[in-house]
Amino acid sequence: MIVVLDSDCSLKEKAGVVRFIERRGGRLLVSEIGDETHIGLIDTEAQSLAAEIESMPGVAELRPLAPPYPQVARDHHPESSVVRVGDVRFGGNEVVVLAGPCSVENDEQISIVGEAVARSGARMLRGGAFKPRSSPYSFQGLGEEGLVLLAWVREQTGLPVVTEVVAPEDVDLVAQYADMLQIGARNMQNFRLLSEVGAQTLPVLLKRGISSTVEELLLAAEYVVAAGNPRVVLCERGLRTFETTTRNTLDISAVPVLKQKTHLPVIVDPSHAAGERSLVPHLARAAVAAGADGIIVEVHNDPESALSDGKQSLTLEGFETMMAQLRRVARAVDRQIAPPIVG
Ligand code: PEP
Ligand code: MN
């Protein structure tokens, strides 16, 4: 339910409604929509008070709360949110590129890739230290050693680090090293993990599950925000469909759909969608043209010998070429790629 206040409702009346809900243990969200003040009744405690609220002074009417994800819905927060990671801003006019290997493998690899992608214009470094692999026999990541290497390359390059956390009990450890926590596609509906990253302060990159609807993605984001962390960036990374020529089917429509439904920034991962290096720049250009706030892409100095996802990883040169293309596409849609932090 949304409580719409009278246009001439006094501050005292507004505070009275808010206090009444809070004292009874309900959660609410106050927003100014045009010239109306709305108080969203978020949880069941707050909703159970609707009948009493309706007769309070200053209240004009009650309206149904349309989306089941009130805190991330654009309905109640019409301006786009900007999520900051250091100097990086997701959700403004600049399109942010995040790049790096699928997995951190060793000091030489992550350092070479980090330096190269920074020079070509990446604004954040990606790299997995804890890897969610389909097979228990595949490389599972270096764990804490990988986090140490990511932090070391952040010192070298100035690039903030995004890395995946796969289990609730690892959140504190990963948060000691990372600047942004990634929730992978396989964990999008791991509700305990979502609440755990919602209870800490680093921003969260939330990837869409391979069989999840847009609404399920938004509900997953609502979990993080409801737990206290509003700094969420969403990521479309391709869906499992009947099509076999790509690893996943990139749902490019999800970009404008999400931008309409939520105020949160939306980025695209063309690497896990394509599964094949030669397709990645095409999908990345489409994402920028469709209005994505950023691109997260896998890059490797020697993709043929990569311990994970080498087939879809761009070479260092391939990444540089793609960046030049993305700058042109961004200009064509009145955006710009965030400028490199190193020359
Ligand atoms: C990744 O980014 O390396 C990854 C495992 O992605 P996803 O969760 O989208 O499969
Ligand atoms: Mn990968």
Side-chain angles (χ1 to χ4, degrees):
M1 281 288 175
I2 299 170
V3 179
V4 182
L5 298 183
D6 279 327
S7 53
D8 57 355
C9 168
S10 68
L11 277 178
K12 198 167 158 223
E13 288 168 334
K14 178 175 166 185
V17 177
V18 168
R19 258 203 313 274
F20 174 74
I21 299 166
E22 285 177 345
R23 283 218 186 107
R24 304 280 284 266
R27 294 189 60 175
L28 56 89
L29 181 72
V30 180
S31 33
E32 307 293 332
I33 309 287
D35 46 14
E36 289 186 339
T37 301
H38 290 184
I39 300 179
L41 307 180
I42 294 179
D43 58 4
T44 39
E45 277 79 5
Q47 282 154 27
S48 68
L49 304 172
E52 286 169 87
I53 295 169
E54 196 168 15
S55 59
M56 290 180 77
V59 173
E61 58 169 316
L62 294 186
R63 286 186 205 149
L65 185 64
Y69 39 85
Q71 303 207 62
V72 306
R74 205 181 265 282
D75 308 45
H76 312 299
H77 191 300
E79 328 76 59
S80 295
S81 287
V82 171
V83 174
R84 288 189 171 75
V85 187
D87 293 337
V88 177
R89 295 171 86 249
F90 291 90
N93 196 48
E94 287 182 345
V95 178
V96 180
V97 177
L98 304 78
C102 178
S103 307
V104 182
E105 297 171 7
N106 55 61
D107 52 356
E108 191 187 2
Q109 170 242 19
I110 190 65
S111 163
I112 291 174
V113 176
E115 296 274 0
V117 297
R119 266 196 310 276
S120 300
R123 291 299 303 267
M124 283 187 66
L125 176 66
R126 64 145 289 147
F130 292 93
K131 296 302 300 177
R133 303 304 302 278
S134 300
S135 162
Y137 307 114
S138 301
F139 177 57
Q140 303 286 313
L142 295 179
E144 186 167 4
E145 188 191 339
L147 299 175
V148 170
L149 293 176
L150 285 166
W152 172 66
V153 176
R154 170 178 54 212
E155 293 307 307
Q156 285 178 21
T157 59
L159 297 183
V161 163
V162 59
T163 193
E164 181 163 353
V165 56
V166 295
E169 61 272 22
D170 293 344
V171 170
D172 286 347
L173 173 71
V174 179
Q176 281 172 37
Y177 295 94
D179 300 287
M180 185 180 214
L181 301 180
Q182 177 172 326
I183 302 293
R186 290 155 191 81
N187 269 316
M188 190 205 84
Q189 288 190 314
N190 182 339
F191 300 116
R192 278 204 42 226
L193 182 59
L194 295 174
S195 297
E196 203 65 35
V197 297
Q200 56 81 60
T201 53
L202 288 182
V204 173
L205 177 62
L206 177 61
K207 299 186 87 175
R208 181 179 180 184
I210 60 173
S211 323
S212 298
T213 63
V214 163
E215 174 153 317
E216 286 164 340
L217 172 60
L218 291 168
L219 284 165
E222 187 81 11
Y223 259 90
V224 180
V225 178
N229 187 353
R231 302 169 72 201
V232 180
V233 174
L234 304 173
C235 180
E236 161 60 36
R237 47 77 74 210
L239 303 171
R240 175 164 294 177
T241 70
F242 52 81
E243 182 52 65
T244 55
T245 53
T246 45
R247 182 174 177 187
N248 292 285
T249 300
L250 183 65
D251 181 8
I252 202 76
S253 324
V255 177
V257 168
L258 284 165
K259 295 294 290 181
Q260 283 174 9
K261 290 189 182 297
T262 177
H263 55 89
L264 297 175
V266 178
I267 72 168
V268 167
D269 173 348
S271 306
H272 291 86
E276 151 62 43
R277 180 176 317 126
S278 66
L279 300 173
V280 169
H282 299 275
L283 302 190
R285 295 195 300 265
V288 173
D293 297 305
I295 302 290
I296 180 166
V297 62
E298 288 183 341
V299 179
H300 200 287
N301 55 321
D302 181 11
E304 303 316 319
S305 58
L307 296 181
S308 60
D309 286 349
K311 209 162 138 279
Q312 70 196 31
S313 297
L314 295 178
T315 61
L316 305 183
E317 301 72 37
F319 178 67
E320 191 172 9
T321 305
M322 185 188 78
M323 288 298 290
Q325 298 168 348
L326 294 185
R327 287 188 190 99
R328 292 198 291 275
V329 175
R331 269 200 302 277
V333 293
D334 298 326
R335 305 281 295 268
Q336 54 184 14
I337 302 292
I341 53 167
V342 290

